[in-house]
Each structure stands twice: as C-alpha cells, then as structure tokens.
Amino acid sequence: MELIQQVPQLSAYLAADDAIDHRHPLVLKVAAGLRSDSGDAYAYAKAAFDFVRDAIAHSGDAGDPRVTWRASDVLGQRTGVCYAKAHALTALLRAEGIPAALCYQRLGGVVHGLAAVRLKGRERWARQDPRGNKAGVDAQFSLDEERLAFSVRPESSEVDYPVAYAAPHPVVLHTLRTAPDRQSLWPHLPTEL
C-alpha cells in the first residue's frame, strides 16, 4: 500500500511530543541497548521492531488491565494495545534519527494502529505492525512487502488509511488518555478516523 505523507517536511517525522517522547531517558536507554556497533539503520529498525513486537505484551492478549499511551510508559510497563505499541516503535526509531510515522487500518469495525519507517535512500514508507504475534498472527519486519498482522477485507468495509501521520491521531490519543483501564477502553475504541 502506498502511503501519502501527511506533513510536507520529513523532519516532522523525527519530532517528539507527549506520546512519542523519544528524548525520555528510558526510551534512550532502550534504544542504546538495541543499537549495533555497525550503525546500520536497517539492523537497528528491525531490532526495534522485534523488541516492541516480542518484549512488549499486547495488553489484550496478556489480559493486562493497564492502558498505556506514552512511549516511555509502554517501554517501562512492557504493555500496550496496538496504538501504544506503535507509539513505542515510533519513539525508538526517532531516537536514532530514523523518520517514523503512525498509520491506521479499520479492521472488524475498529481502528488498528501501525507504525511506518522510512530509511535513508528509500523513497517510500514501509508500514510495520508491532502488535505482537500469536496463533494466526505473524507480523514481520519488512521494507519490500508488507508483513502486517492483518490484511484488510474490502468486502467487509475494512480500510487501509493511506496517511503517514507525524503524531498520533487525536481520536486515538484521546481514547487512550481517557480510559482508566483496558476494560473501559474496549467499548470505546475508535471506529473511524
């Protein structure tokens, strides 16, 4: 899927905000631990993806009641739903100077969060899904072909939103920030952007 860049300057995809707090000491510490001596951006991006996918539990899969939304909290508490995990991956990428965006799909009537990476020398964004693998879900890091957790089914009115957001969508961020726990979050997940 070809993503449309939402903000004209690539520098917007390196910025920090409340949710993508990539200058936070914990984010920087995790990034340093993932960095290889070679300085290879691809190797780092893949390591960051694998870390968020595998070491941060999807709170729905794990039955964790906590709702995280800030990247540093996701890394510190090691839990989050798809949006929060995308925030963590985006922050880890930006911490190393790699442009990263947030993307969304509408699947089964609710919005699903993704991240996208744009490595130097590449002209397009590559969407990544760090939600976490489980039976029937096998998301992998890939720059050439999408290996997401879920594919949209147009016949079911599912949608790939073609926008590369520099910051979390306001609807998503509001939903995460106002949910006291995951049980309260579930019935209020965004159904549209």
Side-chain angles (χ1 to χ4, degrees):
M1 143 150 225
E2 190 69 32
L3 289 176
I4 300 166
Q5 189 168 313
Q6 180 74 9
V7 179
Q9 291 81 21
L10 201 54
S11 62
Y13 298 95
L14 294 168
D17 60 33
D18 285 346
I20 313 300
D21 59 342
H22 66 76
R23 294 184 185 113
H24 188 280
L26 180 57
V27 177
L28 295 172
K29 179 180 178 182
V30 172
L34 297 171
R35 189 180 316 127
S36 71
D37 292 335
S38 71
D40 179 74
Y42 176 88
Y44 175 81
K46 183 179 182 325
F49 170 84
D50 289 345
F51 177 80
V52 173
R53 184 195 62 196
D54 300 339
I56 309 291
H58 185 286
S59 56
D61 294 348
D64 192 320
R66 297 173 291 173
V67 176
T68 53
W69 58 272
R70 184 178 288 121
S72 58
D73 292 339
V74 175
L75 296 173
Q77 296 180 39
R78 297 285 178 111
T79 191
V81 295
C82 61
Y83 317 116
K85 291 182 68 156
H87 297 173
L89 177 57
T90 300
L92 287 172
L93 294 169
R94 290 182 185 183
E96 289 297 305
I98 299 172
L102 296 157
C103 305
Y104 303 94
Q105 299 173 307
R106 188 179 69 233
L107 303 166
V110 297
V111 174
H112 175 62
L114 308 168
V117 61
R118 188 160 169 188
L119 292 180
K120 189 174 184 174
R122 296 231 170 211
E123 295 300 316
R124 65 178 194 83
W125 292 100
R127 293 190 309 169
Q128 310 298 324
D129 191 344
R131 73 143 333 267
N133 290 339
K134 62 180 186 174
V137 176
D138 185 29
Q140 299 295 322
F141 183 81
S142 178
L143 298 179
D144 299 319
E145 64 177 301
E146 290 192 333
R147 307 265 321 267
L148 306 177
F150 308 106
S151 298
V152 299
R153 297 169 299 157
E155 70 277 6
S156 298
S157 300
E158 294 182 342
V159 176
D160 270 319
Y161 292 105
V163 178
Y165 291 92
H169 192 284
V171 170
V172 168
L173 194 55
H174 174 76
T175 301
L176 290 174
R177 290 179 80 163
T178 58
D181 56 39
R182 190 178 45 78
Q183 184 176 358
S184 301
L185 173 69
W186 248 222
H188 300 288
L189 290 174
T191 58
E192 195 72 50
L193 294 182

